Amino acid sequence: RAKAMGRNRYEFFTQNLQAEIISHKRTADEVLAGIDNDEFVTWYQPQFNAQTNELTGVEALVRWRHPHFGILAPDRFLKIAEDLNVAATLDHIVLQTVLKDKMRWTAMGLQVPKVSVNVSSRRLHDEGLVGTLRSLSIRPGEISFELVESIFLDEHEDIAATNLDQIKALGIDIEIDDFGTGHTSIVSLLKLKPKRLKIDRQLVMPILNSPQERALVRSIIDIARSLGVETVAEGVETMQHAALLRDLGCDLLQGYAFARPLGFEDFTQMALANWARAAA
Ligand code: C2E
Ligand code: MG
Ligand code: MG
Ligand code: MG
C-alpha cells in the first residue's frame, strides 16, 4: 500500500513537472512565434516638463499583442526573451517601429520630442550594434537609449564602452534608467556623462510620506543638476507627487498622474491635444 501511494505521488509529481515543462516550452515557442508573426508592438508614455507641462519626452515600451491573452506587459515575457537570447531582437523591433512612427508624426505635422528606447544589456554588448544603428540612419537628437546601471558592471565592459562612445557619436543620447536601485554609483554618472537620469519609481513613490526618500531624491536632483544632467522622475502617480518633484527641481515627470503608456493612435491624440493647448 505504501508502495502504491509512493507511486501515485511519483506519478502526480511527474505529471506536474511535465505540465510545467510543456507550458514553459510553449511560452518560449510562443515568444519566438510572436516575433515571427509581428505580435510585438510599441507603446508610448509621455514625459512632461515639470515647470511648463509641455510634452518634452517620450518613452517607448514594448508590448506583446498576444493572440489569446491580449496586450501583455514586459513582466510577462521579457525574462523569457532574455533567456532565449531574443531581448535584443525585441529592442530592435521597438527601435524600428519608433523610427517609422516618428516619420508618421512628422508627416502629420506633429512635433514629437526625442523618443527614449530601452536597451538590454545583451544588445549593448553586441559587437554588431553600431553597424546596425548606422544602417538605420538615425538623425542626431532623434533617439535616446535608456540603460540600467548594472550594464556597466558586466563582463565585456570594453565592448560596452566602445559601443557607448560610438552610440554617442551617432547623436544618440544616453539615459541612466532606474537610478537609485541596484548597483547605483555616482562614479558611473561621472564616467557615463548621460544626458538624463531617471529616478526609479521605488524612490519616487514614497516622497510624500517619507522624509528619507524625499531627502534622497532631492540630493540626486541636486547632484545631477551640478553635473548638467537632466532628471526624470518615474512613477509619478499623483499631482501631489508632481508638485513636490517640481519644487525639488526635477526636470521631467513621467507617470500615471499624467498618462499611462498608450498605443500609437491614443498617443497621437494625446500629443495633438497637448500641442493645441500649448498653442492656445
Ligand atoms: P522601465 O524602463 O523602468 O519603464 C517604466 C515602467 O514603469 C513601465 O512599465 C511603465 O509602464 C511603468 N510606469 C510608468 N508610470 C508609472 C506609474 O505612475 N506607476 C507605476 N506603478 N508604473 C509606472 P512596463 O511598460 O511594464 O515596462 C517594464 C520594464 O520592462 C521597463 O521598465 C523596462 O525595464 C522593460 N522594457 C520595456 N520595454 C522594453 C524594451 O523595448 N526593451 C527592453 N530591453 N526592455 C524593455
Ligand atoms: Mg526605461
Ligand atoms: Mg525605469
Ligand atoms: Mg523600472
Side-chain angles (χ1 to χ4, degrees):
R1 187 154 184 258
K3 200 176 167 192
M5 267 177 67
R7 193 172 60 228
N8 279 345
R9 240 192 328 261
Y10 174 74
E11 278 167 6
F12 179 74
F13 174 72
T14 48
Q15 268 168 22
N16 265 1
L17 191 68
Q18 254 161 9
E20 231 169 76
I21 290 166
I22 289 165
S23 79
H24 177 76
K25 207 169 153 232
R26 202 189 69 208
T27 313
D29 285 346
E30 274 176 327
V31 170
L32 296 174
I35 291 173
D36 282 344
N37 299 331
D38 290 328
E39 288 166 12
F40 289 92
V41 296
T42 301
W43 283 27
Y44 297 99
Q45 189 177 28
Q47 300 164 335
F48 295 94
N49 181 308
Q51 303 297 332
T52 66
N53 293 327
E54 271 173 298
L55 178 63
T56 311
V58 186
E59 180 172 9
L61 295 157
V62 68
R63 292 290 181 270
W64 185 358
R65 187 172 293 160
H66 192 283
H68 304 305
F69 307 123
I71 295 291
L72 301 181
D75 63 335
R76 302 288 301 278
F77 59 83
L78 210 55
K79 178 74 179 63
I80 303 162
E82 276 161 13
D83 292 346
L84 284 168
N85 240 327
V86 294
T89 308
L90 294 182
D91 291 356
H92 189 64
I93 291 170
V94 168
L95 178 57
Q96 281 181 305
T97 309
V98 166
L99 294 171
K100 224 173 53 205
D101 287 349
K102 284 213 97 178
M103 276 164 44
R104 291 165 77 187
W105 286 319
T106 305
M108 294 166 65
L110 183 61
Q111 291 290 324
V112 169
K114 180 167 61 193
V115 179
S116 307
V117 301
N118 293 280
V119 176
S120 64
S121 167
R122 198 62 70 118
R123 186 153 163 84
L124 192 70
H125 290 83
D126 175 1
E127 282 172 292
L129 175 62
V130 172
T132 306
L133 293 176
R134 282 214 181 88
S135 73
L136 293 174
S137 331
I138 296 166
R139 274 174 295 143
E142 188 175 32
I143 295 292
S144 140
F145 279 0
E146 293 192 11
L147 310 170
V148 292
E149 286 177 285
S150 55
I151 280 180
F152 309 103
L153 300 176
D154 284 1
E155 44 182 343
H156 310 306
E157 215 180 325
D158 45 333
I159 299 173
T162 310
N163 273 347
L164 271 175
D165 288 342
Q166 300 196 31
I167 288 165
K168 285 183 179 173
L170 289 174
I172 296 171
D173 288 331
I174 302 297
E175 302 180 31
I176 298 186
D177 204 352
D178 302 344
F179 190 82
T181 62
H183 310 279
T184 295
S185 83
I186 302 291
V187 173
S188 68
L189 252 184
L190 292 172
K191 270 208 294 204
L192 253 173
K193 300 192 177 35
K195 174 88 176 173
R196 285 181 183 163
L197 191 118
K198 302 192 72 179
I199 307 169
D200 195 78
R201 160 169 106 221
Q202 279 183 58
L203 280 179
V204 171
M205 288 176 99
I207 57 169
L208 292 180
N209 302 315
S210 164
Q212 272 143 340
E213 270 90 349
R214 187 159 60 237
L216 218 59
V217 167
R218 175 185 283 123
S219 309
I220 291 171
I221 291 169
D222 289 347
I223 291 170
R225 164 159 311 151
S226 68
L227 295 171
V229 176
E230 281 180 351
T231 45
V232 184
E234 304 187 312
V236 182
E237 292 197 349
T238 70
M239 284 304 168
Q240 288 97 302
H241 283 88
L244 177 53
L245 287 158
R246 187 191 53 224
D247 292 345
L248 294 177
C250 188
D251 297 306
L252 298 178
L253 308 176
Q254 174 179 356
Y256 297 166
F258 302 96
R260 290 182 175 254
L262 302 165
F264 178 84
E265 302 296 339
D266 289 336
F267 178 82
T268 303
Q269 289 309 313
M270 193 273 329
L272 283 168
N274 183 271
W275 200 38
R277 258 200 315 278

